[in-house]
Amino acid sequence: MANEQSGTVDAAQQNDFFGHPRGLSTLFFTELWERFSYYGMRALLVLYMTAETMSSNPGLGFSVGKATAIYGLYTFFVYVLSLPGGWVADKLWGQRKAVFVGGCIIAAGHFSMAVPWIEFFYLGLALIVIGTGLLKPNVSSMVGDLYPEGGARRDAGFSIFYMGINFGAILGPLLCGVLGEGYNWHWGFSLAGFGMVLGLISYKYGYKFLGNAGNLKTGESQEVLNARSRRFYTILSVVAGAIVVFGFLMSSGVINITLQTLAEYLGGAAVAITITFFAYIIFFGGHNREEQKKLGVIFWLFFLAALFWSGFEQAGSSLNLFAKDLTDRAIGDVAWLGTTTAGLITLLIAIPVFYVVYRVYKRDDLWDFAKGVVAVSSVGVLIFLWWLIQRIGIGWETPASTLQLINPFFIVVFAPIFGFMWTWLAARNANPSIPVKFGLGLFGLAAGFFVLSWGAANATEANPVSPAWLVVTYFLHTAGELCLSPVGLSSMTKLAPKSRVSQMMGIWFVAAAVGNLFAGLMAGQLEVLSEASLFWWVAMIVGGGGVIALIASPFVQKLMGDVE
């Protein structure tokens, strides 16, 4: 046993994943495939629910309002359950077990949605929500555990990990969209499930490289842990039973409430609870004057973030429907792009690709498994490219869901540029403050919706517009995201009192949850508003929030004290 443990520690100390601990590769590929499954399914969700039931690829035939309400509730609970998911890892299981159990539940959810029965659809959504709540917050925590020394190397490790997130977010909509929307919705959901299974295999294979990262560290006796587990499972059983009963009464008509109304009540309740929570900790939390000011700043940033996500997260709902109904996605019909030509083009591209793979294999400081992944991925990309060129040759309508990959692609390209820009400005004492960056983020989002409202005003189903309108919109949204999201995450740790850092990180998740919920509700207005009108009003509301954020920024900056 001692030798086995020693071998595990030695493996964990190997720095052959591009100069980082080998355990980072385990978490990198786990998160890549989890995000592949999440964003792949999310790209299909609203389109599947609103698709006609009698078409060649039948959907559920839901109204736009009902579909976007379900979408909003689903994404709301994905973020909210990150809070109890983190608690379970910290107090009962440890992050390592929570990630694996969460991944298994996510895979089961996707495979449930592959069954063409409405009951399995709802069951699948519930399972994915629970599994993501367990996996999402804890896999990130384990990355930090790999770098006990902290410092710049830890930041670089998180940057590599973040790339895995976005690579998964690119591949998911592309592959699940082509399969699900192009052939059969349930095949797309299945592919998302297989993606999560690959993540679980990678995770279990790389267990030995994690060292002590993710182990339970409460320091409490087994008796205390057992008692806590019994209380937790008792409460969980009661809550699950109550939800099942409520769902049955709702579906049977005993409780006469629509999903849209339920989403509105939940959104109002979440905002009210957050306001009450902040009022309590600011005035009765035992904090000094400086800490109270900084908690007030976090409260302000919470509302700005929720406003931002309420527009940004319409990517999977109203923007997805715009891509389906009002965007010309036809490409190709090029006679000379036949099978032979497609093969030649792919072969030409394969020459530099295989040269890069060869150079990777020649490096002695890289893990053999990582080399194999690079080789297999390269072959897979070339096969897909050959297939795509053939499809373009005969004429092909790109699935609407595949356009969901534009945002994560822009993140991969521009995140390093924005990081360099902030550093460059800081060196010249010109780096915008946190509240100013939040205002800029809202302006970027508003500008994207102004562009899309202009495009929608010129679009009809008979004369759809170019995908360039969506590309420009997603670029502006990405610029807004890079101004607000990473800055907001960092600001929570800077502004929170030391005794409330974890709680304030949880508040950041709640802001995203509330924003996602209202994004679904706002997208549901497509039942009574045209796309142009909806996008215009979203742009006006978000832009107004940006103006207020900039006007208030000098006052907010004073409250922040010495925090930059």
Side-chain angles (χ1 to χ4, degrees):
M1 183 69 180
N3 291 335
E4 182 181 346
Q5 184 174 358
S6 175
T8 301
V9 173
D10 290 343
Q13 292 172 345
Q14 296 184 38
N15 296 318
D16 55 357
F17 185 68
F18 299 98
H20 287 267
R22 187 179 290 184
L24 180 62
S25 67
T26 300
L27 303 178
F28 175 94
F29 288 113
T30 302
E31 182 69 352
L32 185 154
W33 287 114
E34 187 276 328
R35 291 291 88 182
F36 171 93
S37 69
Y38 177 80
Y39 283 103
M41 189 279 284
R42 193 192 76 156
L44 297 175
L45 188 56
V46 170
L47 299 178
Y48 168 64
M49 286 190 286
T50 55
E52 296 180 1
T53 57
M54 301 303 291
S55 63
S56 58
N57 187 13
L60 295 178
F62 289 172
S63 67
V64 169
K66 182 177 180 179
T68 54
I70 292 173
Y71 174 83
L73 288 167
Y74 162 71
T75 51
F76 171 80
F77 282 112
V78 160
Y79 283 96
V80 164
L81 289 191
S82 294
L83 303 179
W87 183 90
V88 168
D90 289 339
K91 299 296 185 181
L92 292 179
W93 294 350
Q95 286 91 356
R96 188 176 298 202
K97 178 179 177 180
V99 168
F100 182 74
V101 173
C104 291
I105 296 173
I106 290 171
H110 287 301
F111 290 131
S112 293
M113 294 180 70
V115 179
W117 295 349
I118 188 67
E119 295 84 2
F120 282 90
F121 172 75
Y122 287 122
L123 175 63
L125 288 180
L127 290 172
I128 294 169
V129 163
I130 295 168
T132 306
L134 285 169
L135 188 148
K136 185 176 176 63
N138 295 312
V139 70
S140 301
S141 299
M142 291 173 67
V143 174
D145 286 348
L146 294 173
Y147 301 89
E149 75 282 0
R153 188 163 175 266
R154 183 176 184 268
D155 294 339
F158 269 103
S159 297
I160 294 173
F161 178 74
Y162 191 62
M163 295 294 283
I165 293 174
N166 285 287
F167 281 136
I170 291 170
L171 289 173
L174 176 62
L175 300 182
C176 295
V178 167
L179 190 62
E181 189 181 348
Y183 295 94
N184 187 292
W185 299 109
H186 303 287
W187 295 357
F189 296 140
S190 295
L191 183 60
F194 284 116
M196 189 66 253
V197 169
L198 285 175
L200 288 168
I201 293 171
S202 172
Y203 184 63
K204 288 297 288 185
Y205 178 83
Y207 245 41
K208 57 183 175 291
F209 305 124
L210 294 174
N212 295 320
N215 290 331
L216 184 63
K217 305 180 183 71
T218 64
E220 296 169 318
S221 67
Q222 192 60 46
E223 290 76 11
V224 172
L225 294 175
N226 290 339
R228 184 180 296 145
S229 294
R230 287 192 294 271
R231 290 194 300 271
F232 168 73
Y233 289 118
T234 300
I235 295 171
L236 180 64
S237 300
V238 172
V239 172
I243 292 173
V244 170
V245 171
F246 180 81
F248 174 76
L249 294 175
M250 221 180 124
S251 61
S252 60
V254 176
I255 297 178
N256 189 17
I257 181 173
T258 64
L259 286 168
Q260 293 96 314
T261 304
L262 176 62
E264 291 170 2
Y265 286 162
L266 276 174
V271 172
I273 291 170
T274 304
I275 292 173
T276 304
F277 171 74
F278 271 104
Y280 174 77
I281 65 170
I282 290 174
F283 296 109
F284 306 104
H287 297 288
N288 60 40
R289 184 66 176 166
E290 287 302 312
E291 290 174 336
Q292 287 177 329
K293 290 179 181 179
K294 291 175 181 177
L295 286 168
V297 173
I298 292 177
F299 182 51
W300 173 242
L301 297 181
F302 167 87
F303 275 103
L304 294 182
L307 177 62
F308 178 86
W309 296 123
S310 70
F312 183 87
E313 288 298 339
Q314 290 189 51
S317 50
S318 63
L319 272 66
N320 217 4
L321 293 171
F322 176 85
K324 178 176 74 76
D325 297 329
L326 299 176
T327 301
D328 182 9
R329 293 172 281 110
I331 57 174
D333 196 10
V334 182
W336 57 270
L337 277 181
T339 303
T340 303
T341 308
L344 289 173
I345 294 173
T346 306
L347 182 61
L348 289 174
I349 296 173
I351 294 172
V353 170
F354 283 134
Y355 175 73
V356 171
V357 172
Y358 168 75
R359 293 299 300 267
V360 168
Y361 259 88
K362 292 288 287 183
R363 291 183 60 171
D364 296 328
D365 59 339
L366 290 182
W367 179 28
D368 288 340
F369 181 74
K371 296 178 181 179
V373 169
V374 170
V376 172
S377 300
S378 300
V379 172
V381 168
L382 290 171
I383 292 172
F384 179 78
L385 183 63
W386 172 77
W387 176 86
L388 182 61
I389 294 172
Q390 278 191 311
R391 299 293 296 182
I392 293 174
I394 62 176
W396 185 48
E397 185 175 60
T398 307
S401 51
T402 61
L403 298 179
Q404 293 285 294
L405 63 82
I406 299 172
N407 168 246
F409 172 78
F410 280 148
I411 289 288
V412 170
V413 173
F414 290 103
I417 297 173
F418 270 74
F420 171 78
M421 180 178 69
W422 300 139
T423 305
W424 186 83
L425 289 172
R428 288 155 180 77
N429 201 28
N431 190 29
S433 66
I434 291 172
V436 169
K437 287 178 180 176
F438 269 64
L440 294 175
L442 290 169
F443 277 134
L445 182 68
F449 275 106
F450 274 126
V451 167
L452 204 58
S453 68
W454 183 11
N458 293 283
T460 64
E461 291 191 17
N463 294 291
V465 296
S466 165
W469 292 95
L470 274 171
V471 172
V472 173
T473 295
Y474 280 126
F475 168 75
L476 293 168
H477 286 189
T478 301
E481 181 186 5
L482 291 172
C483 286
L484 184 144
S485 182
V487 174
L489 199 60
S490 175
S491 68
M492 296 298 111
T493 61
K494 294 178 180 178
L495 292 166
K498 290 184 178 180
S499 61
R500 295 193 185 272
V501 173
S502 296
Q503 292 180 35
M504 294 304 103
M505 291 299 290
I507 284 295
W508 183 253
F509 279 118
V510 173
V514 172
N516 273 270
L517 184 61
F518 282 108
L521 291 172
M522 293 168 73
Q525 295 303 306
L526 285 174
E527 288 192 328
V528 294
L529 294 175
S530 67
E531 285 83 354
S533 297
L534 174 65
F535 297 149
W536 174 262
W537 278 110
V538 173
M540 292 293 289
I541 294 169
V542 173
V547 171
I548 295 172
L550 290 184
I551 292 174
S553 62
F555 173 71
V556 175
Q557 195 167 354
K558 288 181 181 178
L559 295 178
M560 291 167 56
D562 58 350
V563 174
E564 296 182 357

